[in-house]
Amino acid sequence: MNAVTHPMEDILRMDRMPHIWCPGCGIGTAVTAFAMALQKAEICLDKTAVVSGIGCSGRVAGYVKLDSFHTTHGRAIPFATGLKLANPELTVVVISGDGDLIAIGGNHFIHAARRNVDIKVFCINNFNYAMTGGQLAPTTPEPATTTTSPYGAFEHPFNLPFLAESSGAVYVARWTALHIRRLTKSMTEALSKKGFSFVEIIAPCPTLYSRRNRLGDGLDELKYYHDNSVIKHGLDTRELDIGYRKEIVMGKFVDKDRPTFIEALNDRFTQVFGDKYEQYGPQNANGN
Amino acid sequence: MKADPKGVLTGAHFLDGDHACAEGALAAGCRFFAGYPITPSTEVAERIALRFPLVGGIFIQMEDELASMAAVLGGAWGGKKSMTVTSGPGFSLMMENIGLAAMTETPCVIVNVQRGGPSTGLPTLPGQQDMMQARWGSHGDYEIIAVVPNSPQECFDVTIEAFNLSEEYRVPVMVMMDECVGHMTEKVVIPPAEEIEVFNRRLYDGPKQDYLPYAVDSDNGRVPLMANAGAGYRFHVTGLTHDERGYPAMNAEVQQECVTRLVDKVKLNTHAIARYEEEEVEEADIVLVAYGISSRVAMRALEMARADGIKIGLFRMITAWPFPEERIRQIAQHVNSFVMVELNLGQMVTELERCVAGAAKVHLAPHAGGWVHHPEDILQIISEATT
């Protein structure tokens, strides 16, 4: 009989386990969904890279057995842009948190979507800055309490699918950490989609967000997702605000096609230079 | 290795320093550029944008300098020789990911066409006020390499050298130009590709299971062998303190080993890296020290001083960092004094003072930027130094 191996041993760095995430945290679930999506999408793991920024979700890159980059706060997307453009044969996935991608990295997010750089962005949204101890995020619902909004948040939070779509993303979906099969399906689709693809994953943060707001543990949060989430595929993304303890609308909202940055560049240069121009693409990769 | 002829514009040209720098990058094999427009460096980006499509390079104008520098790192790990170009305000924004480049040992070239600062300062006028920022601008302990060309020809030459050094030592290399050198137009001779030496990164090609991204041994000295993304080694890279597997390790022992090596790989190779030019230094009582545009003004002051019968020499730095410490110590043994000529109120002079360590007198010919020194003002300081 063969020795028992973990089904994700080829994708996760088992020599780095246990991971740093708290019991009940949703990041591990998102990583599981990602690992399953990689298996389902049947893409070459040697040609897949993960880029993360900073924060709890920023640690994802450290646990995947792929070419993986744990970069600076907010800069995962521009780093990933460089990686993808320099080696177009790579599948480049950014996995990071809401604070990293949307606050400090917000400008990069909208510009990468606008350019339709062919990267996949999986944003784990736990409604707060968890690594630093539970501070206000641009996603914190009003009037949730955080350590830097001790009297309750009063800023209007971003609606991430709307931000992604209006910036130019070609694929936009949202799921919670409870809906792991649907999340896996969206991640699988995104991995095979050409262009800037965005999946938001609503995830529990029992240690900070839930505790400070007296919402119970991770399981209580999953129960909230179970009781308060609805699937509305194709809904207008303007309708996707998340209110405090209100209904969470999930689904696939955008799935369209437009030229990626490299396709547009090749089209443009072919028009200008004709036969003198050599198409830029996977053949321009410099492997080892 | 010889240069890829595709990027080499062989011939004699009439180019400004910015354009010559762009041609140097092309000749060195740079095929990834990410940048953001800023005076007086924009012409470098413009020429790269014009030239890249037909040489297989990829140019992207990013949303800001934070993104430009991050993209350059991504480009480098994607297997391309990568660069960006900027001036003071953009240089400040790039410091974040210059630190990541130092920590992760990512080869990359950053060109800074210096203008007067601080802040927005003098966008169209020269300065040499970012010399210390080049060395110390990002947080933490690390070393970088910085070169300081003083002519369009040298902009071409040292940009190639910058790429070679960055690939060899896996370190960010800065080409510290100034507005004058960037915008002056002179004859630039670009040799045939087969006469241009380029250094390509040393790649690991051993068994996959044995790859340790940050391991060094006697064969590779202090610089680990690199693997490009997509080559099948499935490595991890982090800005956290890391062990030889590239894995985060939060303790003082690994920090000591990791950071000491980042510093030593440059510092202990200063003799191989640092370049300078000397003009009658051996016979001199007094030696001018200068770099970039200031070295050309200093040359005029030197001629005037000689006409006055002063025994004077010139030490021109081509490498600012690592500082040519050993040579300065030698010269300090036989001269009476040094005069540092720079377009700032005293930056590299502090390094000069540190190395001279009281063995000779050190004077500064300062200038706040916006123009170059008047040779007469330098001559005045020379005269004071001789009395």
Side-chain angles (χ1 to χ4, degrees), chain A residues 10 47 67 70 72 75 284, chain B residues 80 96-97 230 234 237-238:
Chain A
D10 196 33
K47 302 286 179 197
D67 289 333
H70 179 219
T72 40
R75 317 299 166 221
N284 295 80
Chain B
K80 297 271 192 287
E96 172 192 58
N97 287 299
R234 290 161 72 170
V237 168
T238 177

Side-chain angles (χ1 to χ4, degrees), chain B residues 290-368:
Chain B
Y291 54 95
I293 189 59
S294 304
S295 66
R296 297 176 68 146
V297 185
M299 195 63 203
R300 175 73 189 131
L302 175 139
E303 286 161 6
M304 292 158 72
R306 274 199 191 143
D308 289 351
I310 298 170
K311 284 166 74 182
I312 187 165
L314 172 68
F315 182 89
R316 180 171 79 86
M317 298 177 337
I318 300 171
T319 312
W321 304 110
F323 192 73
E325 181 162 345
E326 214 179 290
R327 182 61 188 141
I328 290 292
R329 286 193 206 288
Q330 287 169 358
I331 299 170
Q333 298 312 309
H334 69 259
V335 299
N336 296 328
S337 49
F338 291 93
V339 174
M340 173 64 91
V341 184
E342 52 183 346
L343 281 184
N344 56 56
L345 300 182
Q347 294 199 10
M348 295 308 295
V349 71
T350 60
E351 190 67 3
L352 180 66
E353 279 166 346
R354 182 183 72 77
C355 297
V356 170
K361 280 187 220 147
V362 175
H363 303 266
L364 171 66
H367 193 302

Side-chain angles (χ1 to χ4, degrees), chain A residues 33-280:
Chain A
F34 173 59
M36 292 194 297
L38 282 174
Q39 288 167 335
K40 285 193 175 175
E42 292 180 345
I43 53 173
C44 176
L45 296 179
D46 281 355
K47 302 286 179 197
T48 304
V50 169
V51 184
S52 294
I54 296 295
C56 291
S57 302
R59 291 303 188 96
V60 170
Y63 297 114
V64 290
K65 201 194 284 180
L66 303 167
D67 289 333
S68 52
F69 301 91
H70 179 219
T71 65
T72 40
H73 198 16
R75 317 299 166 221
I77 287 177
F79 186 101
T81 299
L83 192 60
K84 175 67 188 178
L85 298 189
N87 184 351
E89 70 172 350
L90 297 175
T91 299
V92 178
V93 186
V94 170
I95 306 181
S96 217
D98 49 309
D100 185 74
L101 290 169
I102 308 301
I104 188 166
N107 195 30
H108 313 310
F109 180 83
I110 60 174
H111 283 279
R114 173 182 65 79
R115 297 183 182 108
N116 202 22
V117 179
D118 184 15
I119 58 175
K120 328 297 157 195
V121 177
F122 299 157
C123 176
I124 301 167
N125 178 4
N126 59 11
F127 301 127
N128 75 147
Y129 282 84
M131 183 66 93
T132 44
Q135 290 80 31
L136 181 78
T139 48
T140 308
E142 302 165 73
T145 299
T146 70
T147 60
T148 50
S149 59
Y151 308 111
F154 52 83
E155 294 179 18
H156 186 70
F158 265 132
N159 162 350
L160 304 188
F162 179 41
L163 181 66
E165 185 190 15
S166 50
S167 304
V170 292
Y171 184 97
V172 179
R174 172 196 278 163
W175 300 101
T176 80
L178 176 71
H179 301 87
I180 188 158
R181 281 198 302 273
R182 290 183 168 94
L183 171 61
T184 303
K185 183 165 181 257
S186 268
M187 285 179 163
T188 311
E189 286 179 2
L191 285 169
S192 315
K193 181 84 189 172
K194 235 177 2 173
F196 188 91
S197 305
F198 177 70
V199 180
E200 177 183 13
I201 305 112
I202 307 292
C205 174
T207 306
L208 296 155
Y209 182 77
S210 289
R211 187 168 55 93
R212 185 155 292 271
N213 287 289
R214 301 180 189 281
L215 303 173
D217 60 18
L219 197 58
D220 292 311
E221 195 67 354
L222 292 183
K223 192 164 184 312
Y224 156 65
Y225 297 162
H226 177 267
D227 296 342
N228 294 280
S229 57
V230 292
I231 299 172
K232 292 182 184 172
H233 290 302
L235 188 73
D236 187 331
T237 54
R238 284 174 295 186
E239 309 294 318
L240 293 170
D241 277 328
I242 298 177
Y244 186 62
R245 310 320 281 169
K246 299 273 172 51
E247 184 180 81
I248 297 174
V249 181
M250 313 174 296
K252 178 167 83 174
F253 311 111
V254 177
D255 190 351
K256 63 183 182 191
D257 294 301
R258 69 184 181 95
T260 65
F261 179 89
I262 289 177
E263 287 170 344
L265 169 145
N266 280 329
D267 285 354
R268 187 71 215 148
F269 293 162
T270 304
Q271 276 182 43
V272 175
F273 299 111
D275 293 343
K276 272 200 296 181
Y277 179 67
E278 242 173 77
Q279 297 290 302
Y280 187 82

